[in-house]
Structures are given as structure tokens and as C-alpha cells.
Amino acid sequence: MADTLPVDSLSIAAVVAHVDETKGSDEAGNGSIEAPYQSAVKAIQAHGESVKIQVWKAATAEGETSGFVPISGAAQKKAIKKVAELEKKNKKLAEQAAEQAAKDQAAAEERERVLEAAKKVVLKEDPSLPIATKIKIRNGVDNRGKRVKVSGWVHRLRVQGKNMMFVILRDGTGYLQCVLTDNLCQTYDALTLTLESTIIVYGVINELPAGKTAPDNHELTVDYWECIGKAPGGDDAISNKVNENSDPSVKYDLRHLVLREERASGILKVRSQVLKAFRDHFDSRGFYEVTPPCMVQTSVEGGSTLFELNYYNEKAYLTQSSQLYLETCLPSLGDVYCLAESFRAEKSHTRRHLSEYTHCEAEMAFISFDDLLDQIEDMICDVIDRTLAHKPTADIVYKLNPDFKRPERPFMRMDYSDAIKYLKDNDIKKEDGTFYEVGEDIPEAPERAMTDKINRPILLCRFPAEIKAFYMKRCPENRALTESVDVLMPGVGEIVGGSMRISDLEELMAAYKREGLDPSPYYWFTDQRKFGTSEHGGFGLGIERYIAWMLNLYTVRDTCLYPRFTGRAFP
């Protein structure tokens, strides 16, 4: 028989764990000298209460050495007590989690049971009711008391118990509160209804009693409804795709969903009415609207900001401005304007720049510089008046910008030289700390600083010729200046640029030469001075900047359907 050793003669090596509260890690450590734990609690959790704990002690006095030393008895007892508390807490959490899981399982089973039962609830339209009249939500007030049929998207949804649901329906023309009761909200479609689903509701619209609120102060009591298209829920629900806290890049990628929000759609509704107001303004002043080409082979503002394209193996560009083409219409149509897209390849990331924007441009014959300034001021104010005269649009404007005030007339008129003086007098300097001098262009930042401080619209006039376009007419009283104007608005800066145009043929030819331009491609523009010239002028206004000013928006990008700027041409 083999010999056996008595138990008391066995030598059992105790486990040693190292702890360094400064450099150790409870997550990555293993208790070795090379990878110590951060806490004694972790050492006990990993190796049990019998573990021999060595704690790192740094030298605190001259002559001492740093190293691992045994943990004190009090510290080990404290750690053991903490481990026990954590185990008790974790056990309780595990019990609660198991209890919650059981509840969730029961709830899921109950919901499945309810959904299965709901599939058996079939709605039928009551044939004894009057035939429903199909309407848009905007016509709701005029159809109160009648049975109507309304189609739209579920904008908001609220379930109140088992027998009532409130749906805010949206169709682009407005919002309508709909109330579903009893079996109408117990169908499978009702129980699984999600935001942005499309539905058709039938019922009667009634005014709300005092003390209750809803869009247009009424609601539709539903007697029958259908779900046409169910939108996804859960992780794919629209509220999880995009919301007010989403990153701007996500909002631009999902612009098609952002447009469904009240703010975004409200801005586009204002934009629609503003465009209409511009057309109505020009129509009332006897202008004709023309549609100039977007693909051109000559530049207006210089070649550095042109988008080049291959046009049947010829070099062409997307237009920067329709001005030159508008001028050719003056002899046949008189005063003309256009609302068209312009394109500028400026690699600018400011909040007021776009690579594609809607350009309102106008040209007028037989006018003076003062006439031009009066026309611009008249247009800006008249368009505001026309826009706000449309009550639904005015409501949106004041909801988005409660402090909006119509600008007072006349606008302030300031010469460029006076602006330079203003910048000096108000200590508005360049980035290098020096002042702006006559002959220098005034950039966006100081221009806005001046406008915001003055806090009223400014017609900034008579810029030096060397910083303006070749076609601008010189001032008769000072040939170094041009009869030019920028309209500056508080909060957004420049929204209009305009000038009188050179009317003299020889002066225009000299301008071509001075700018190093070959006049031959511009023959059709030059001919306007050759075949019966006239004093004429015009301007260009950025619709996006105009709307950003009206609504006090941070960026012009919010005023576009799908904004295009540096690095963004999608979707």
C-alpha cells in the first residue's frame, strides 16, 4: 500500500495579489506586480477573503524606498465588508432584474394576446351616415358641422386609456386634431399606429369648448378611419432617426425627414410666400419676368468663383448672375426681373454663404442712382408688407421670430468713406489690429458689426472702382468711385448688391481693357451701348439671406429645400 501524508503536513501556498491605487486597474489588472489591481475590493472579489494583499507604498521621506507592503488589518477588514455589501447589492439587483424580466415577458405576452384579438376587430363605414366630403385641413373651419374625409400623416399621437386616442394629422396645409374612441382605437392598426403613418379619417369637425385648445380651435370626431401606410416604429422610428439634438451633418443627410418638422416646413412655407410676394411686387410695378440661361460662357463677377462644366466639348459655366442677360431685355421689355438660381464656387463655410442660391435680380432703364436706391428700398418693404398680409404666413413669421419689426423708412444712406470712418470711430479693426483704410474692401465681420450696432437697414453707397465689378458706372462727381450700393440688414449683413451700369460704349471698352477681359465674347452685352444706349441700373438680392433676416435664422442653409455648400451636394 502506498504511503500517504497526513493533512497537517501539506504545504498550501497562499495567493498574493498586488494593489496600486495610482497606477493599477480593476478592469485590466490581474494582481501581479506587473499588472496590479487598483483596489483591495477587487483583489478580494477575484481571489477570496484569504488572499494576501500587497499594497504599493510610495516613499514619503528621505531615505525611504517605494515598494509593495502588506495591507493593514483594518484596511483588509474594510475591504471585506465592502465586498459583502456589493454582493448583497448585486444579489438584490439580480432579483429585481429577474422580476422585471418576468414582468416584461408577461407584458409582451399580454400585448401579443391583445394584438391577436385586435386583428379580429374590423371597422366598417356606417352606410347610414352622410357621404363624407373630401377636404384639405386648411378648409376645416369652412366645413365645421359637416361629415368630411381628410387624408394625411400622423404628426403627433397620444393614447388615453383603452378607449381614446388623439391624433394630430398633417397634410401640408395645416394640422387637425382627430379623436378616436371605443373600437376605433382597438383595432390592430390603432394599437400599432406610429408617427408619420398615413391615414384617412372620416367624421365631423366641431369647434372646441372654452378652455380646450387644438389647431384652429376645433377637432374631428372620427366615425371611421383607414391606415394607408404604416411608418416604422422602435429603433427605426422617425424620432430615433432625427431630432432637435441630432448632429447637423445627420440633419442634412436626413433632410427629407427634417422637412416634416414644424419649424423646417414653416420656413419653407414662408419662403413660398416670399417668392410670391416678390413676383407680385414686380408685377405691380410694371416689370416683366424673364428666365435667363443657367449655363453660360462668360463671367460676371470674375472667374475664381465659377463652376466649370463640359458643354458638348466646350468650356461653359454655371451662372453667377443673370444681370448681363437682363440688360439685353431692356430695349424690348422695359424693366425686367428674374427669380433664378445662381452658383458661386466660393470655398466659404460661413453661415451666410451657399454654393447655389435663389437670386432675385432686376434691371431698369432710364433711371438715376437715387431712383435705384428708392426702388430697392421700396421692394424690400413692399415684399415684407405683402408677406405679412397673408395671415397664415404672418403667424409662422411671428412664431419663429416673435420680435420681428418692419424696417422703418427711409433707410439709412451711408457712403463707403463714411463707413470706413465709422469703423475707426467705433474701434472696429482688422484681425491684425490695424484699421480699415479707404480703398480696402470691408469684409463680412466688420460690416455686420457696424450694421448690428447701428441696428437699422443701411444703403451703403459709392464704393471705390477698384473693388467693384467692371460694368459699374463711375460717379460723375468723383471718378474714383462707383454708383454702387450694398444693402445691409441687422443680424445677417449684406442682402442686396446693385449699381448703375456703364452706359457709354467707350467707357465700357476701357473697362474691359482695364480688367484684362477679351471683349469679343461679350459682344451681345456691348451692343446694348451701341444700338441705343440709356442710363440704367439694377441689383441682385439673395432670397435666402432675405428670409434669414425676416425669421432671425442662424444660417441661410435652413431656408433652402436641400442646401448646397462646400462639401455638400447630397441628397
Side-chain angles (χ1 to χ4, degrees), residues 271-291 337-340 358-360 379 382-383 386 543:
R271 179 187 174 100
S272 174
Q273 195 63 29
V274 165
L275 290 172
K276 181 179 184 299
F278 272 103
R279 287 192 164 94
D280 290 345
H281 165 79
F282 285 116
D283 183 63
S284 70
R285 270 49 171 187
F287 284 67
Y288 282 103
E289 181 175 7
V290 295
T291 310
Y337 79 99
C338 71
L339 281 166
T358 303
H359 212 172
C360 174
M379 175 197 67
D382 187 51
V383 169
R386 292 176 184 273
I543 293 295

Side-chain angles (χ1 to χ4, degrees), residues 40-302:
V41 169
K42 180 63 179 179
I44 294 170
Q45 287 177 326
H47 304 290
E49 294 182 11
S50 62
V51 65
K52 302 297 183 180
I53 300 175
Q54 294 284 315
V55 180
W56 177 263
K57 182 180 180 182
T60 58
E62 188 176 348
E64 289 187 3
T65 58
S66 300
F68 285 101
V69 298
I71 190 171
S72 69
Q76 183 150 359
K77 286 181 180 179
K78 184 177 180 181
I80 291 172
K81 183 179 179 182
K82 181 65 175 179
V83 169
E85 291 174 353
L86 289 174
E87 287 177 351
K88 184 178 180 180
K89 180 179 180 182
N90 290 337
K91 182 179 178 181
K92 185 175 182 181
L93 289 175
E95 291 173 351
Q96 290 175 341
E99 184 180 342
Q100 186 60 48
K103 288 181 180 179
D104 292 344
Q105 178 66 24
E109 291 174 356
E110 174 62 14
R111 178 161 177 78
E112 284 301 315
R113 186 192 67 76
V114 170
L115 290 177
E116 283 301 315
K119 291 178 181 178
K120 300 175 183 178
V121 179
V122 179
L123 300 180
K124 292 184 179 180
E125 186 176 5
D126 187 345
S128 68
L129 294 173
I131 296 175
T133 302
K134 183 178 179 180
I135 68 165
K136 294 288 188 181
I137 291 176
R138 65 178 169 226
N139 304 126
V141 173
D142 295 333
N143 286 275
R144 286 178 178 173
K146 304 174 186 175
R147 188 166 185 261
V148 296
K149 171 184 176 183
V150 185
S151 305
W153 287 261
V154 176
H155 188 64
R156 285 197 291 273
L157 176 64
R158 178 165 60 92
V159 177
Q160 189 169 308
K162 294 182 179 180
N163 297 310
M164 185 171 288
M165 285 175 57
F166 291 89
V167 173
I168 301 295
L169 199 62
R170 181 191 75 240
D171 71 350
T173 72
Y175 300 90
L176 176 64
Q177 179 167 291
C178 308
V179 184
L180 289 72
T181 57
D182 300 328
N183 65 331
L184 293 176
C185 54
Q186 294 166 2
T187 66
Y188 181 81
D189 281 339
L191 296 179
T192 59
L193 192 61
T194 51
L195 297 180
E196 296 305 322
S197 295
T198 44
I199 64 174
I200 302 176
V201 292
Y202 300 72
V204 178
I205 298 176
N206 293 305
E207 186 174 1
L208 287 174
K212 293 189 175 183
T213 59
D216 290 327
N217 197 40
H218 60 208
E219 66 182 13
L220 185 146
T221 302
V222 180
D223 58 56
Y224 176 69
W225 73 284
E226 304 170 83
C227 183
I228 305 303
K230 189 74 65 67
D235 291 341
D236 287 331
I238 188 170
S239 56
N240 290 326
K241 289 284 188 181
V242 64
N243 54 62
E244 62 180 12
N245 297 318
S246 297
D247 186 83
S249 63
V250 173
K251 290 185 177 182
Y252 290 129
D253 287 341
L254 300 179
R255 180 70 174 163
H256 59 293
L257 298 180
V258 171
L259 294 175
R260 302 182 181 212
E261 298 173 353
E262 290 182 42
R263 179 180 181 274
S265 61
I267 292 170
L268 291 182
K269 288 175 182 178
V270 171
R271 179 187 174 100
S272 174
Q273 195 63 29
V274 165
L275 290 172
K276 181 179 184 299
F278 272 103
R279 287 192 164 94
D280 290 345
H281 165 79
F282 285 116
D283 183 63
S284 70
R285 270 49 171 187
F287 284 67
Y288 282 103
E289 181 175 7
V290 295
T291 310
C294 284
M295 293 181 289
V296 301
Q297 291 187 308
T298 52
S299 68
V300 180
E301 303 294 342

Side-chain angles (χ1 to χ4, degrees), residues 41 56 70 110 134 177 181 196 247 262 294 365 411 418 448 488 502 509 513 522 542 546 549 558 567:
V41 169
W56 177 263
E110 174 62 14
K134 183 178 179 180
Q177 179 167 291
T181 57
E196 296 305 322
D247 186 83
E262 290 182 42
C294 284
F411 290 180
D418 293 328
R448 287 188 59 188
L488 312 179
I502 293 175
M509 297 305 293
K513 184 176 181 180
Y522 294 89
Y546 187 89
W549 162 66
D558 288 347

Side-chain angles (χ1 to χ4, degrees), residues 413-527:
R413 300 190 180 189
M414 175 188 287
D415 281 352
Y416 162 87
S417 57
D418 293 328
I420 294 292
K421 183 177 184 300
Y422 182 94
L423 296 179
K424 290 182 179 179
D425 291 344
N426 287 270
D427 203 34
I428 300 174
K429 300 178 180 179
K430 303 178 190 176
E431 291 184 359
D432 64 6
T434 62
F435 286 110
Y436 292 93
E437 301 295 340
V438 172
E440 295 180 324
D441 192 19
I442 303 175
E444 174 191 356
E447 186 179 75
R448 287 188 59 188
M450 176 180 72
T451 309
D452 290 350
K453 192 166 186 177
I454 294 173
N455 197 31
R456 58 180 293 198
I458 301 172
L459 293 166
L460 190 57
C461 305
R462 299 177 180 86
F463 290 83
E466 60 265 24
I467 62 173
K468 283 298 182 180
F470 75 91
Y471 52 76
M472 293 189 178
K473 185 179 179 63
R474 303 286 182 118
C475 294
E477 69 277 9
N478 186 346
R479 300 290 295 172
L481 305 177
T482 55
E483 291 189 323
S484 53
V485 59
D486 285 351
V487 180
L488 312 179
M489 303 300 279
V492 71
E494 179 191 346
I495 64 169
V496 179
S499 75
M500 295 297 290
R501 318 307 192 190
I502 293 175
S503 59
D504 181 76
L505 178 60
E506 291 184 6
E507 186 179 344
L508 179 60
M509 297 305 293
Y512 286 138
K513 184 176 181 180
R514 184 179 65 252
E515 297 296 324
L517 293 172
D518 178 6
S520 57
Y522 294 89
Y523 70 92
W524 49 276
F525 177 70
T526 307
D527 277 355

